[in-house]
Amino acid sequence: SPITNVVESLSGQVAGLQMVTTTGAPGSTPSMLIRGISSISAGTNPLIVLDGMPYEGGWNNINPTDVESISVLKDAATAAIYGSRSAAGVILIETHRGTMNSAPKITFSGYWGLSAMPKRLEVCNSAEFIKVRKMALINAGTDESRWPKYISEYERDPSQFADTDWQKEYYQRGFTQKYNIGYTAGSANSNVSLSAFYSKTDGVTIATGDEKFGFRLNSDVTRGKFKMGESVSYSRWSADLESNSGFSSIYQVTNMEPLAFLYDENNDGGYGGAISGMGMSDAGNQVAFNKLIDNTSSTDYIAASGYLQYEPIKGLIVKFNASRNMYFSKSRLFTPTYEIGAAKRNTMASLSESRSQTTNDLLELTANYDKTIAEIHNLSLLLGLSQEENKYEDLSASGSDFENNSMSLMG
């Protein structure tokens, strides 16, 4: 199966690179350590340089199909080029630009895949649960007057209870689809590469998944001693995330009694849970939390760069680079009013949103001279000026006491 993000292509391929995956949610990426923990407060993520420019976006905003090569720099010598930002290592990524003197070529690829839980825990149905629960209480010497009421009620009338397999209701068969289309061409003096992609994944847990799409345009033109080129790209990633119910989802799914109903039209929100007065556990209906709570995240990445190169004499290249990268991030959490059984109630809807924008501007002017002397000596000189500006803006807001659950808008 194709890789879903660039990080996966590095797994097990680079000595000294540590990758830790903490979640299997769609769109999640592992954390990376190249030189170990190099800072307490400044972060340990490596510096990413995409097509010669510092990259501020996330791994989900890079299409793996666009990548031509990846290099990982771990030596201390990288500080001479990238400064203190390279303390945690540097990852160099080059994307396809096409080749000169090549015929026009159109490529297309599509992928469809299924994912599922390889194994589920074996749990009791309702009748087995009552039998095992009674056995446990008897063995513990618990007086029958202190038994949960659902035992006697189930024995009196089993029809008033459900027989829910919570793992079956919460875990599903995930589906992934991905499409890539590309165009490359080149003449004696120019080359171009244009690509676009779309990807969507439905998670193995209900009401979770992510979606990605974007495009990239790279081109170069040579005229005599001059060479110029540009790169323009846009990508978007959005995800429906698992909702926080106070406990981990695996706890909720495996501790919820099978006696509880998945749906209950009499409850606010339409979902069931622990039955009032029956002495059930505090586990909640995780399906209801994922369905009712709107927990989303999205990122947009826009990048544009260009260069002008001049070679006045053989071996001397003067190059000017300019780029702007913009990274937008948004998260939203709306919790409506609900009643999910006896122990899970929310009487006041709330909404919190946060948005951020990161802008990176870079100007570079370099002069590089290379000369081979007597075929055994190499002389290399580099002179450069660089100016970089980073701007970060963040806005967060929250509200509550909405008129109804349909008016989940801020201000």
Side-chain angles (χ1 to χ4, degrees), residues 28 57 64 112 120 148 171 182 185 189 227 247 250 261 335 344 346 353 357 367 376:
S28 62
W112 302 268
R120 297 176 182 174
Y171 297 113
N189 299 311
K227 184 178 182 181
F247 296 93
I250 188 65
F261 288 91
T335 304
K344 307 293 182 182
N346 184 50
E353 288 189 10
Q357 176 181 332
I376 58 173

Side-chain angles (χ1 to χ4, degrees), residues 72-190:
V72 178
L73 307 181
K74 300 177 290 182
D75 299 330
T78 56
I81 303 175
Y82 300 104
S84 60
R85 294 179 301 173
S86 64
V90 180
I91 298 179
L92 303 178
I93 302 176
E94 295 290 336
T95 58
H96 294 287
R97 305 192 67 86
T99 56
M100 291 186 177
N101 298 309
S102 61
K105 181 180 180 181
I106 297 177
T107 59
F108 174 81
S109 64
Y111 168 79
W112 302 268
L114 298 174
S115 57
M117 291 281 289
K119 185 178 181 181
R120 297 176 182 174
L121 296 175
E122 295 184 9
V123 294
C124 300
N125 59 28
S126 291
E128 295 169 339
F129 174 74
I130 293 297
K131 181 178 180 180
V132 172
R133 190 76 174 105
K134 284 183 63 177
M135 187 184 303
L137 292 169
I138 293 172
N139 291 340
T142 304
D143 188 81
E144 190 170 340
S145 62
R146 298 173 56 193
W147 288 9
K149 187 177 179 180
Y150 61 74
I151 295 179
S152 59
E153 286 296 314
Y154 183 87
E155 292 178 333
R156 183 182 65 83
D157 181 14
S159 64
Q160 62 181 310
F161 297 93
D163 190 10
T164 306
D165 184 343
W166 290 102
Q167 292 182 95
K168 182 179 179 181
E169 299 295 342
Y170 186 65
Y171 297 113
Q172 62 183 4
R173 180 169 294 173
F175 177 69
T176 299
Q177 53 181 318
K178 184 173 183 180
Y179 310 95
N180 292 283
I181 186 169
Y183 171 80
T184 58
S187 65
N189 299 311
S190 64

Side-chain angles (χ1 to χ4, degrees), residues 23 25-28 170 205-210 237-244 286 289-291 293-298 330-333:
T23 174
S28 62
Y170 186 65
T205 57
I206 196 166
T208 64
D210 78 329
W237 170 78
S238 59
D240 294 313
L241 307 175
E242 186 178 66
S243 297
N244 182 8
Q286 186 65 43
F289 284 108
N290 277 21
K291 288 281 192 175
I293 297 176
D294 183 18
N295 186 15
T296 61
S297 179
S298 64
K330 178 183 177 181
S331 62
R332 170 186 166 88
L333 177 62

Side-chain angles (χ1 to χ4, degrees), residues 319-336:
K319 187 175 183 180
F320 173 73
N321 288 314
S323 71
R324 164 166 280 197
N325 303 328
M326 302 182 70
Y327 181 71
F328 303 87
S329 177
K330 178 183 177 181
S331 62
R332 170 186 166 88
L333 177 62
F334 177 72
T335 304

